Amino acid sequence: MDGARDIKMNSKTKSMSMIESIRDAHDVMMGRDDNVVVFGEDAGFFGGVFRCTEGLQQKYGKHRAFDAPISESGIVGAAVGMAAYGLKPCVEIQFADYMYPAYDQIVSEAARLRHRSNGEFTCPLVVRMPVGGGIFGGQTHSQSVEALFTHVVGVKTVMPSNPYDAKGLLIAAIEDPDPVIFLEPKRIYNGPFDGHYERPVVPWSKHEKGMVPEGYYAIPLGKAAIAREGREVTVLTYGTMVHVALAAAEETGIDAEVIDLRTLVPLDLEAIEASVKKTGRCVIIHEATRTSGFGAELSALVQESCFYHLEAPVLRVTGYDTPYPHAQEWDYFPGPARVGEALTKIMEN
Amino acid sequence: MGRENSDMQQATDKDYPPLNLHVPEPKTRPGDKPDFSHIKISPVGAVAKPEHDVSAQDIKDLAFEMVRVMDEHGKPQGEWALELDEEILRKALRAMMRIRAFDKRMMRAQRQGKSSFYMQALGEEAIAVGQQLVLQKGDMNFPTYRQQGLLFAQDFPVMDMMVQIYSNDKDNLGGRQLPVLYSFKQAGHFTISGNLATQYIQAVGWAMASAIKGDRKIATGWIGDGSTAENDFHSGMVFAGVYRAPVILNLVNNQWAISSFQGIAGGEVSTFASRGLGYGIPSLRVDGNDFLAVYAASQWAAERARRNLGPTFIEWVTYRASAHSTSDDPSKYRPKDDWEHWPLGDPIERLKQHMILRGFWSEERHIQAQAEYEDEMRVTAEKAESYGTLHAPKTKRSPAEMFENVFADMPPHLRRQRQEMGV
Ligand SMILES: Cc1ncc(C[n+]2csc(CCOP(=O)(O)OP(=O)(O)O)c2C)c(N)n1
Ligand SMILES: [Mg+2]
């Protein structure tokens, strides 16, 4: 890991939504490196159904930003070929729920090109996809698929929780010499979401992480961020659930330390260990289903590395092991009430 | 960048000009004058109707020409013309007009926040309706989200569709599924997946099962032009061709995926219908806005399937007149008035014209019928809304329901999670 890489910061900042900061990351990298190409379903002329690639075709031309046929395996397969040639493809899968046809290309090909050719061929590509619920998308527009990638050897898995991180992490992902899966929680594209769906939507312009430096900066993959410092319990989470965890900490008055993992593979175990050893308690939160979710891995690691510091069993708050329901969305989504209950429960021990 | 990535190979042979990438582009974009000169249209009645037991090779030209029956006056022409009973035509027109009234009402309901989502079939109503009218009880359709016509052609109760769209207490899917992704087994309507193309091969598998069991049922598979790029399209074609499955493989070419035109799916280089030839499947290209052509081609294909002659692949040429869905704004990527210039017209207008010509329909009757159907949809929607809408349920649905039908028997871990939920 090159965690020591400089984070070069441009002093000028601009208010951006996560969509805009992702678009900006593409723009910065396409401007810096002719080898960066962008494609996906509706991603060219139209700029993507979430508009994350809007304007790129107009600015960089059709040979560098273009529409792809509706073939996720084709999109990733072509990207593997391009990456092996020396390009830096950054491709979009319209929804994570539609990545399954591409899974073979990711698992069997992108992830293993380097290893099986003993370094002769490599695959520096980024596969972006929106994840998570909260938009009444039902079972085919709501899934959180991170564990399907963290279990695969040879790909890195990233999930930002705000515009600032999204831009810096996407730039690092595009620069990375290996395949990176870049998961974008769609519910927080336009504003932070703490799970209080009945309240008005807050835009990123009202949030400090919505202030994004212009130009180039990279946030190294594999480094967690402390979203809230605290002494009583460590919360390990990422993506949308960072905001839910922060809300639950405020609402319960429990002094939780909320760690935004940002990158799941490679994982910042150092940051996790330091926090859990300090607080002695650990709650893990993700929106994805529970069984064999990334929380299970985190729980095992905490147990392995912090067992003698733990004052209570590690708890998980996750999605239920059912397909994401449409009408019952808010019963399914692990909101601040459920997270708050877990925080309260772990403090009773 | 690692060493291994930087040594891009430079071609040494300078005799050739540098390569460049071809990216298909539609003829027109917003602000341009609509132009459909690239759509190859055969003269009405010009295409021969083959025997049912032809091979794909024998009728190659049918994959490039276009089966058309009604001329510009609504008069049937050529070998594909059938003298259809007044009753069938009335039924078809009624179904098509009711779809349009239904779509209009459900669009409005979505705009009012009563449902989360909707998708219209505007401009392509003839296709699903025409096909359903040649099917029999026991046959199974594997539709996409734009074949509501399969239900309307059976006079399926619109109430059952509306309550699904509203995700209310009476929704047969218990609010699980996105609006319009219906499942109505008794009406031969397979549960619709949100994942494109996956069900094309499933239709073939269902048809193979009927053949394995020595039954008499056939299946229909449905796919859009854009979705033919998916691997499952290929799988469906291979299996259907290899096992001569009793299936009708429909491809609705409405010229657009979401924002990408059919050229991005390969429509620029050949007709979609011609793809069937490589799999050895007799393939037709048909005017999908010509009800008489739709009916005749569907009947021909169904007959082939029932006589164990195998699959038929049909490209229905039509136009997606509406937005892709309620989440889409087509004025961003195509001329606003495209549909008005679509050379194959409006399927409802064309069938109306034919029926007037036959002497059992009139403009007045048509206007009356339209008002009647719009009224029917309004009244039914109001009734459906009285059972609740997505954000205003009549009774709060028990969250426990989401744990049902994950498995036949609920395993202990799900039972535990349901208990944790406190319900
Ligand atoms: C596997 C998969 N990829 C992407 C999508 C998103 N998506 C839904 S509809 C659509 C366009 C489909 O176009 P087409 O096949 O032409 O059908 P039409 O909507 O025109 O009827 C796309 C890209 C999806 N539902 N499933
Ligand atoms: Mg289409």
Side-chain angles (χ1 to χ4, degrees), chain A residues 40-42 67-77 98 101-102, chain B residues 196-198 200 222-237 251-252 256-257 260-267 272 275 279 313:
Chain A
E41 294 159 20
D42 302 288
D67 286 324
I70 304 175
S71 170
E72 292 74 15
S73 64
I75 291 167
V76 177
Y98 304 141
Chain B
L196 296 171
T198 49
Y200 219 52
W222 295 84
I223 202 163
D225 48 279
S227 307
T228 58
E230 294 281 9
N231 299 358
D232 285 333
F233 168 73
H234 169 76
S235 308
M237 298 294 276
L251 183 163
V252 180
W256 290 92
S260 67
F261 83 121
Q262 41 88 19
I264 292 291
F272 286 94
R275 294 191 192 179
Y279 298 98
F313 181 52

Side-chain angles (χ1 to χ4, degrees), chain B residues 124 145-146 224-227 252-258 320:
Chain B
E124 40 190 281
Y145 41 72
R146 238 185 271 287
D225 48 279
S227 307
V252 180
N253 177 4
N254 61 10
Q255 313 303 318
W256 290 92
I258 299 179
R320 193 197 80 210

Side-chain angles (χ1 to χ4, degrees), chain B residues 403 407 409-420:
Chain B
F403 294 94
F407 294 100
D409 299 314
M410 196 181 295
H413 72 286
L414 280 186
R415 212 169 282 282
R416 218 175 304 121
Q417 289 180 20
R418 193 183 61 181
Q419 279 157 10
E420 276 169 29

Side-chain angles (χ1 to χ4, degrees), chain A residues 112-136:
Chain A
R112 300 208 296 251
L113 227 55
R114 179 186 294 280
H115 193 263
R116 78 173 186 232
S117 70
N118 207 12
E120 197 172 34
F121 290 99
T122 66
C123 198
L125 66 83
V126 179
V127 186
R128 297 176 37 245
M129 55 187 93
V131 294
I135 63 157
F136 281 94

Side-chain angles (χ1 to χ4, degrees), chain A residues 56-347:
Chain A
L56 299 175
Q57 180 173 88
Q58 289 71 11
K59 186 164 176 183
Y60 296 101
K62 277 202 301 185
H63 63 298
R64 291 190 59 201
F66 50 90
D67 286 324
I70 304 175
S71 170
E72 292 74 15
S73 64
I75 291 167
V76 177
V80 171
M82 292 178 197
Y85 188 96
L87 299 189
K88 294 236 162 202
C90 181
V91 300
E92 177 175 294
I93 300 291
Q94 199 158 78
F95 284 86
D97 316 63
Y98 304 141
M99 71 83 184
Y100 302 104
Y103 200 54
D104 190 29
Q105 285 291 340
I106 294 171
V107 176
S108 316
E109 305 302 322
R112 300 208 296 251
L113 227 55
R114 179 186 294 280
H115 193 263
R116 78 173 186 232
S117 70
N118 207 12
E120 197 172 34
F121 290 99
T122 66
C123 198
L125 66 83
V126 179
V127 186
R128 297 176 37 245
M129 55 187 93
V131 294
I135 63 157
F136 281 94
Q139 58 179 255
T140 52
H141 303 86
S142 307
Q143 296 164 38
S144 293
V145 293
E146 65 272 18
L148 298 177
F149 295 113
T150 57
H151 193 60
V152 175
V153 290
V155 295
K156 298 179 179 176
T157 303
V158 176
M159 195 190 304
S161 71
N162 59 68
Y164 174 86
D165 285 355
K167 179 174 169 184
L169 288 167
L170 183 53
I171 287 176
I174 293 172
E175 289 188 317
D176 198 274
D178 286 308
V180 179
I181 306 296
F182 196 83
L183 307 174
E184 303 169 1
K186 65 180 91 69
R187 176 64 214 222
I188 57 170
Y189 266 149
N190 289 308
F193 175 66
D194 64 9
H196 286 291
Y197 56 89
E198 69 291 350
R199 295 183 191 162
V201 179
V202 183
W204 279 115
S205 57
K206 300 248 159 65
H207 195 281
E208 58 168 347
K209 295 282 186 186
M211 287 312 288
V212 178
E214 289 183 350
Y216 174 89
Y217 68 95
I219 295 176
L221 305 187
K223 286 276 161 223
I226 297 178
R228 180 191 193 281
E229 280 190 47
R231 313 207 57 79
E232 294 182 308
V233 50
T234 298
V235 176
L236 301 180
T237 190
Y238 45 89
T240 306
M241 302 313 292
V242 169
H243 305 282
V244 176
L246 292 173
E250 289 317 308
E251 287 158 24
T252 54
I254 292 168
D255 189 19
E257 179 145 293
V258 178
I259 307 230
D260 178 354
L261 295 171
R262 304 198 291 192
T263 305
L264 308 185
V265 173
L267 185 69
D268 191 349
L269 189 56
E270 237 173 82
I272 295 171
E273 250 189 89
S275 179
V276 175
K277 285 182 178 167
K278 178 175 82 176
T279 62
R281 291 181 169 84
C282 181
V283 174
I284 296 160
I285 310 172
H286 59 63
E287 194 182 335
T289 51
R290 187 181 191 85
T291 301
S292 302
F294 193 64
E297 177 66 23
L298 289 171
S299 174
L301 286 169
V302 167
Q303 185 273 138
E304 283 163 13
S305 55
C306 311
F307 183 78
Y308 295 105
H309 293 79
L310 288 176
E311 288 167 45
V314 175
L315 290 182
R316 281 181 291 168
V317 185
T318 67
Y320 298 110
D321 286 343
T322 78
Y324 214 113
H326 170 253
Q328 303 92 328
E329 173 140 283
W330 299 125
D331 294 313
Y332 183 92
F333 184 88
R338 272 175 68 199
V339 174
E341 270 169 39
L343 292 178
T344 309
K345 183 172 167 197
I346 204 164
M347 292 314 298

Side-chain angles (χ1 to χ4, degrees), chain B residues 96-121:
Chain B
M96 287 158 66
M97 292 180 77
R98 286 176 80 233
I99 296 169
R100 205 165 278 188
F102 180 88
D103 280 359
K104 198 168 151 190
R105 195 78 215 173
M106 292 298 96
M107 281 298 287
R108 194 169 137 162
Q110 194 277 343
R111 297 253 153 76
Q112 294 169 335
K114 291 171 182 167
S115 74
S116 59
F117 184 71
Y118 193 68
M119 301 180 99
Q120 297 173 263

